[in-house]
Amino acid sequence: MLSAEEVEQIIYSGLPAVAGLGLKVEQAGERRSRLRQPFNENMIRPGGTLSGPTMMGLADAAMYAAILGALGRLEMAVTQNLNINFLRRPAQRDLLAECRIIRLGRRSVVLEVTLFSDGDEEPVAHVTGIYALP
Amino acid sequence: MLSAEEVEQIIYSGLPAVAGLGLKVEQAGERRSRLRQPFNENMIRPGGTLSGPTMMGLADAAMYAAILGALGRLEMAVTQNLNINFLRRPAQRDLLAECRIIRLGRRSVVLEVTLFSDGDEEPVAHVTGIYALP
Amino acid sequence: MLSAEEVEQIIYSGLPAVAGLGLKVEQAGERRSRLRQPFNENMIRPGGTLSGPTMMGLADAAMYAAILGALGRLEMAVTQNLNINFLRRPAQRDLLAECRIIRLGRRSVVLEVTLFSDGDEEPVAHVTGIYALP
Amino acid sequence: MLSAEEVEQIIYSGLPAVAGLGLKVEQAGERRSRLRQPFNENMIRPGGTLSGPTMMGLADAAMYAAILGALGRLEMAVTQNLNINFLRRPAQRDLLAECRIIRLGRRSVVLEVTLFSDGDEEPVAHVTGIYALP
């Protein structure tokens, strides 16, 4: 299986923009992943909340990381559906994503991601998604 | 009502990151909006497809633009739910979003966005979303 | 290709409960379908609105009808994802579903359904869904 | 707070069709609910799977039960959005719903429901939903 570092490198090579944001894969394996998006002034919108695309991008990366952790190096997994509920304004702190695989099928994977502001127990967003496997 | 340029300025002031991407509001009003995300090397991932967050960010901005076009300057409308189905790989061309308001309620707005690659009739993604009104 | 009557028979044989509700396939073909759920006292809840499951069931049947109309007799198409936004209380009248195929792929079909109360132009619910093909 | 029996009575009075199906509220409170849909021949479709509407109806009732358990008797809570991922064919056994409140807000509640076939640890469907509060 891949280490968190290897998963991070695969994600970086697949999404250079993500690398630019300094996203970290803290854990990937056992059908789960944990990612951290370090806080960055560019992610703020007036009013102080992080942008929706920042949250959606982190959730999408967390789903991909969980799949790589479960299935190993996999070229062509693609997001098929992503459904996000925004729950509260994130703080101006690192954003954490905790992802678990709900179902690992032959043709597709269904996943769930909960997003938190670092140090806060109440989630800021909840995401479910479907990845199609090659 | 606001002009497309005024709507664009409100979106830029609300999402500086979007301004950086050169997003254009081509039309906003009559419960619809049309936005263009000019093609940009940074949006590409290996394999040549645009990133999911690029598409989700454009769709979210298109929903906000349609609401501004319908309700005028509005500070605190926030995305409550966004559901996206990815349909095919976008081309390495401008990305267009065509948004319509499905229901304009007192407390929330339900919208639909279809994303296209410029010059291609087949959509690359379909989005529905809920915005909560202040 | 199948006629609306043939599509209705396939749906009835696949969902006897639907047959019991007297659901009618008014049109199926050209990547679209139109279904009618005749009004029925059992569908009412206090307050007079039709039940959510009635609406979700009609939308699911409309998606299946559109796929049968496009691909012909197909045993094992199954709903993979359904996302519904409830827009307003339906009237105590027939419920209509207008469905279109957004993308017809090799492995899956993405569809959109709008639900109306008969005689009313404003939709009562909007649905998107993914069907997995065998 | 309401007992599971009281919650069940409120749901029955709100959805007579559900009462007809013998749905049981096994637990409601502490931001969670657990419901059981006893197996019933009418729920089967050829191939032996339970119908989608049966699963969506049980999930919707479980969300309502969790809200009643958290907020007490509440007339006008209505489902605003429901997103369901179907994971595998349910067995011809009772269907169980385990629901938790993800966020309890002033104006809306976001919930998650996992559906199981009785005696099976692998879920058959996963649902997220938004209820609007009066």
Side-chain angles (χ1 to χ4, degrees):
Chain A
M1 287 292 86
L2 301 166
S3 68
E5 293 67 25
E6 290 169 314
V7 168
E8 186 173 295
Q9 284 313 311
I10 295 170
I11 290 173
Y12 277 16
S13 60
L15 267 177
V18 170
L21 297 171
L23 182 148
K24 296 293 170 204
V25 175
E26 295 187 341
Q27 184 251 321
E30 295 165 352
R31 300 170 66 110
R32 293 183 174 271
S33 74
R34 177 181 170 94
L35 275 65
R36 174 182 299 267
Q37 173 60 68
F39 178 70
N40 169 335
E41 295 293 337
N42 297 338
M43 300 188 295
I44 310 176
R45 28 189 305 184
T49 163
L50 300 187
S51 75
T54 299
M55 291 191 267
M56 294 185 274
L58 179 61
D60 192 34
M63 294 193 286
Y64 189 34
I67 292 169
L68 291 168
L71 298 180
R73 195 173 300 275
L74 192 68
E75 286 320 314
M76 294 308 300
V78 293
T79 316
Q80 183 172 14
N81 170 269
L82 185 146
N83 184 70
I84 181 165
N85 286 305
F86 295 94
L87 304 174
R88 59 170 45 78
R89 286 164 164 275
Q92 295 188 28
R93 292 201 295 276
D94 291 1
L95 192 63
L96 302 178
E98 296 191 347
C99 177
R100 74 180 178 91
I101 292 175
I102 294 175
R103 176 159 196 262
L104 184 59
R106 280 183 308 97
R107 285 171 45 170
S108 65
V109 186
V110 178
L111 307 100
E112 171 180 44
V113 187
T114 310
L115 298 179
F116 300 90
S117 289
D118 193 9
D120 191 344
E121 279 192 357
E122 288 297 314
V124 296
H126 183 272
V127 176
T128 55
I130 305 172
Y131 258 71
L133 299 180
Chain B
M1 287 290 84
L2 301 166
S3 67
E5 293 66 26
E6 291 169 314
V7 167
E8 186 173 295
Q9 285 311 313
I10 294 170
I11 291 174
Y12 278 14
S13 60
L15 267 177
V18 169
L21 296 172
L23 183 147
K24 296 292 169 206
V25 175
E26 296 187 338
Q27 184 253 320
E30 295 166 350
R31 301 170 65 110
R32 294 183 172 273
S33 74
R34 179 182 169 94
L35 274 65
R36 174 182 299 267
Q37 172 61 69
F39 178 69
N40 169 336
E41 294 293 337
N42 296 338
M43 301 187 297
I44 309 177
R45 31 188 303 185
T49 163
L50 300 186
S51 74
T54 299
M55 290 191 268
M56 293 186 276
L58 178 61
D60 192 33
M63 294 193 286
Y64 189 34
I67 291 168
L68 292 169
L71 298 180
R73 196 173 301 274
L74 192 68
E75 286 319 314
M76 296 305 301
V78 293
T79 316
Q80 184 173 13
N81 171 268
L82 186 147
N83 183 70
I84 181 165
N85 286 305
F86 295 95
L87 304 174
R88 57 168 49 75
R89 289 162 162 276
Q92 295 188 28
R93 292 202 293 276
D94 291 1
L95 193 63
L96 302 178
E98 296 190 347
C99 177
R100 73 180 178 93
I101 293 175
I102 294 175
R103 179 165 192 257
L104 184 59
R106 282 182 307 97
R107 286 170 43 171
S108 64
V109 186
V110 177
L111 307 98
E112 171 180 45
V113 187
T114 309
L115 298 178
F116 300 89
S117 289
D118 193 10
D120 192 344
E121 280 190 357
E122 288 297 313
V124 295
H126 183 271
V127 176
T128 55
I130 305 172
Y131 259 71
L133 299 180
Chain C
M1 288 289 85
L2 301 166
S3 68
E5 294 66 28
E6 291 168 314
V7 167
E8 186 173 294
Q9 285 312 312
I10 295 170
I11 290 173
Y12 278 16
S13 60
L15 266 176
V18 170
L21 296 171
L23 182 148
K24 295 294 170 204
V25 175
E26 296 187 339
Q27 183 251 322
E30 295 167 351
R31 301 170 65 111
R32 294 183 173 272
S33 74
R34 178 182 170 95
L35 274 65
R36 174 182 299 267
Q37 173 60 70
F39 178 69
N40 169 336
E41 294 293 338
N42 297 338
M43 300 187 296
I44 311 176
R45 30 189 303 183
T49 162
L50 301 186
S51 74
T54 298
M55 290 190 268
M56 294 185 275
L58 178 61
D60 192 33
M63 293 193 287
Y64 189 34
I67 292 168
L68 291 168
L71 298 180
R73 195 173 300 275
L74 192 68
E75 285 319 314
M76 296 307 300
V78 293
T79 316
Q80 184 173 11
N81 170 269
L82 185 146
N83 183 70
I84 181 164
N85 286 305
F86 295 95
L87 304 175
R88 57 169 48 78
R89 288 163 162 276
Q92 293 188 29
R93 292 202 294 277
D94 290 3
L95 192 64
L96 302 179
E98 296 191 346
C99 177
R100 73 180 179 93
I101 293 175
I102 294 174
R103 177 162 194 259
L104 183 59
R106 280 182 310 96
R107 286 170 45 170
S108 64
V109 186
V110 177
L111 307 99
E112 171 180 43
V113 187
T114 310
L115 298 178
F116 300 90
S117 289
D118 193 9
D120 191 345
E121 280 192 357
E122 288 298 313
V124 296
H126 183 271
V127 176
T128 55
I130 305 171
Y131 259 71
L133 299 180
Chain D
M1 286 293 85
L2 301 166
S3 68
E5 293 67 25
E6 291 169 313
V7 168
E8 186 174 296
Q9 285 312 312
I10 295 170
I11 290 173
Y12 278 14
S13 60
L15 266 177
V18 169
L21 297 171
L23 183 148
K24 296 293 170 205
V25 175
E26 295 187 339
Q27 184 251 321
E30 295 165 352
R31 301 170 66 110
R32 293 183 174 273
S33 74
R34 178 183 170 94
L35 275 66
R36 174 182 300 267
Q37 173 60 69
F39 179 69
N40 169 336
E41 294 293 336
N42 297 338
M43 299 187 298
I44 310 176
R45 30 189 302 185
T49 164
L50 301 186
S51 76
T54 299
M55 290 191 266
M56 293 185 274
L58 178 61
D60 193 32
M63 293 193 288
Y64 189 35
I67 292 169
L68 291 168
L71 298 180
R73 196 173 301 274
L74 191 69
E75 286 319 314
M76 296 305 302
V78 293
T79 316
Q80 183 172 13
N81 170 269
L82 186 147
N83 183 69
I84 181 165
N85 286 305
F86 295 94
L87 304 174
R88 57 169 49 75
R89 288 162 162 276
Q92 294 187 28
R93 293 201 294 277
D94 291 1
L95 192 63
L96 302 178
E98 297 191 345
C99 177
R100 72 180 180 92
I101 292 174
I102 293 175
R103 175 160 196 260
L104 184 59
R106 280 182 310 97
R107 285 170 45 169
S108 64
V109 187
V110 177
L111 307 99
E112 171 181 45
V113 187
T114 310
L115 299 178
F116 300 89
S117 289
D118 193 10
D120 192 343
E121 281 191 357
E122 288 298 313
V124 296
H126 182 272
V127 176
T128 55
I130 305 172
Y131 259 70
L133 299 179

